[in-house]
Amino acid sequence: MDKKKVVAPLVCHGHSRPVVDLSYSPITPDGFFLISASKDSTPMLRNGETGDWIGTFEGHKGAVWSCCLDKHALRAASASADFSAKLWDALTGDVLHSFDHKHIVRACAFSEDTNLLLTGGFEKILRIFDLNRPDAPPREIDSSPGSVRTVAWLHSDQTILSSSGDAGGLRLWDVRSGKVVQILETKFPVTSAEVSQDGRYITTADGSSVKFWDANHFGLVKSHDLPCKVESASLEPKFGNRFIAGGEDMWVHVFDFHTGEEIGCNKGHHGPVHCLRFSPGGESYASGSEDGTIRIWQLGPLGQIEDNSTANGSTTANANDGMSEVTQKIDELAVSETKKMEETQVDGVEQKVVDA
């Protein structure tokens, strides 16, 4: 067999501190987009295919722990250690609304219909904000066993899921009653939870294990134990035959979904991998690391071993000549150079997190 040509990843610089969350938009008429959250307090928006920088959202005064785009990629949301969650206009970069909290906000997620924003954090309270009435008090669900680490919607916005940074398990809540309807038991706290595009599976990472759950009947479908602690995992969205996982060993691993066999290993980050996500079409995936970079990797054909161990260099993608109207509007903005915040200001807020 001929040796596979190693394809270097697209390396996206820009963040001055660790990248702790990544989220892709669905595919829109203008393409798809990638938003990143970082401890440097400034979420960034990029072209999801090329990794080209589009804009920076400025306004938070502490580490940003979570970020997401709505299904049209017209609005963004972020959750921060400055005790707030913010709603942004993804075309202009303007803050549309700031939702004040009483403690660090760790996670946020748009509902499928984009009318609601779900948040959670150190207050141990899940909040649901009506984006059509942003000044109205949120609905609160306050029986979380500990600080909220991850949140997501499923079942056409009828169910929400959350994990805690203090206890194992994934809790599923009925939105109408505000009650827990199911607990998916895990030995360690769930650090990553993802609902598959087709709504069939929930992918979780806890300790050194990646688990796949039936999103409708809540049974455990598969569980794979990895040789190191895992912080994030993501299931390939188109065929569901592969998944990626990354954590403290600084590598991005590719596994066969059915057998758990490792079929690829991407080396290049210089710090633990905190977040991983497949692109909406499944042709590539992005990783964010303690080293402050985002790397976008191309997915090789199934059955072909991937090894990007020598792909440590930076690759800069050319901007598309036929840039979309959305991207043009954002690029035309006079986005100021990312302000270098005093480490004492950011760390002063982060001291309360203690790397939760």
Side-chain angles (χ1 to χ4, degrees), residues 67-271:
C67 59
C68 56
L69 292 162
D70 70 14
K71 67 180 181 181
H72 304 295
L74 297 177
R75 294 181 297 181
S78 55
S80 174
D82 65 6
F83 296 13
S84 77
K86 293 186 185 296
L87 180 68
W88 309 83
D89 186 320
L91 298 182
T92 67
D94 295 334
V95 177
L96 297 176
H97 198 84
S98 185
F99 302 100
D100 292 333
H101 292 63
K102 296 177 182 178
H103 213 314
I104 293 162
V105 190
R106 202 64 169 77
C108 61
F110 283 105
S111 60
E112 185 179 336
D113 65 11
T114 74
N115 292 323
L116 304 172
L117 180 68
L118 172 65
T119 67
F122 275 39
E123 288 181 83
K124 306 179 183 180
I125 298 173
L126 295 171
R127 288 186 171 89
I128 301 174
F129 295 91
D130 185 343
L131 299 182
N132 295 316
R133 299 185 302 135
D135 292 316
R139 181 181 175 193
E140 296 185 352
I141 302 173
D142 59 1
S143 56
S144 176
S147 62
V148 178
R149 179 70 181 263
T150 64
V151 296
W153 298 83
L154 67 160
H155 301 155
S156 301
D157 302 333
Q158 298 302 306
T159 308
I160 58 179
L161 62 82
S162 70
S163 70
S164 169
D166 307 317
L170 194 69
R171 284 159 180 79
L172 293 102
W173 312 75
D174 178 76
V175 172
R176 288 171 292 183
S177 67
K179 303 296 183 181
V180 175
V181 294
Q182 189 77 28
I183 299 177
L184 309 182
E185 299 288 352
T186 63
K187 185 176 180 181
F188 300 100
V190 173
T191 55
S192 170
E194 174 192 75
V195 180
S196 63
Q197 272 189 19
D198 59 10
R200 292 179 60 194
Y201 298 112
I202 300 170
T203 304
T204 63
D206 72 286
S208 59
S209 174
V210 176
K211 294 180 175 65
F212 300 93
W213 310 83
D214 187 312
N216 296 303
H217 303 289
F218 308 125
L220 180 62
V221 178
K222 289 185 180 294
S223 179
H224 300 299
D225 291 325
L226 309 186
C228 69
K229 185 177 179 181
V230 180
E231 284 197 46
S232 186
S234 183
L235 180 65
E236 192 278 328
K238 192 172 183 180
F239 301 107
N241 54 6
R242 283 177 280 190
F243 70 93
I244 52 175
E248 64 181 13
D249 69 354
M250 302 184 286
W251 298 347
V252 179
H253 303 271
V254 185
F255 298 91
D256 184 285
F257 171 78
H258 300 288
T259 66
E261 177 187 0
E262 183 171 350
I263 57 176
C265 182
N266 299 307
K267 305 172 185 179
H269 280 299
H270 302 289

Side-chain angles (χ1 to χ4, degrees), residues 225-339:
D225 291 325
L226 309 186
C228 69
K229 185 177 179 181
V230 180
E231 284 197 46
S232 186
S234 183
L235 180 65
E236 192 278 328
K238 192 172 183 180
F239 301 107
N241 54 6
R242 283 177 280 190
F243 70 93
I244 52 175
E248 64 181 13
D249 69 354
M250 302 184 286
W251 298 347
V252 179
H253 303 271
V254 185
F255 298 91
D256 184 285
F257 171 78
H258 300 288
T259 66
E261 177 187 0
E262 183 171 350
I263 57 176
C265 182
N266 299 307
K267 305 172 185 179
H269 280 299
H270 302 289
V273 176
H274 294 311
C275 45
L276 291 167
R277 284 294 178 264
F278 263 103
S279 64
E283 67 282 347
S284 62
Y285 47 95
S287 57
S289 168
E290 182 74 17
D291 64 16
T293 67
I294 300 164
R295 291 172 186 257
I296 299 177
W297 314 83
Q298 297 301 311
L299 191 65
L302 188 64
Q304 189 172 46
I305 299 298
E306 299 174 25
D307 185 358
N308 289 322
S309 58
T310 60
N312 294 327
S314 173
T315 301
T316 303
N318 294 325
N320 293 332
D321 294 334
M323 189 172 288
S324 68
E325 180 182 354
V326 173
T327 306
Q328 284 181 334
K329 288 181 180 179
I330 302 173
D331 279 344
E332 289 169 0
L333 298 173
V335 181
S336 62
E337 183 178 357
T338 305
K339 296 179 178 63

Side-chain angles (χ1 to χ4, degrees), residues 7-24:
V7 179
L10 300 171
V11 183
C12 308
H13 298 281
H15 285 297
S16 60
R17 303 203 66 199
V19 178
V20 293
D21 193 28
L22 293 169
S23 181
Y24 279 101

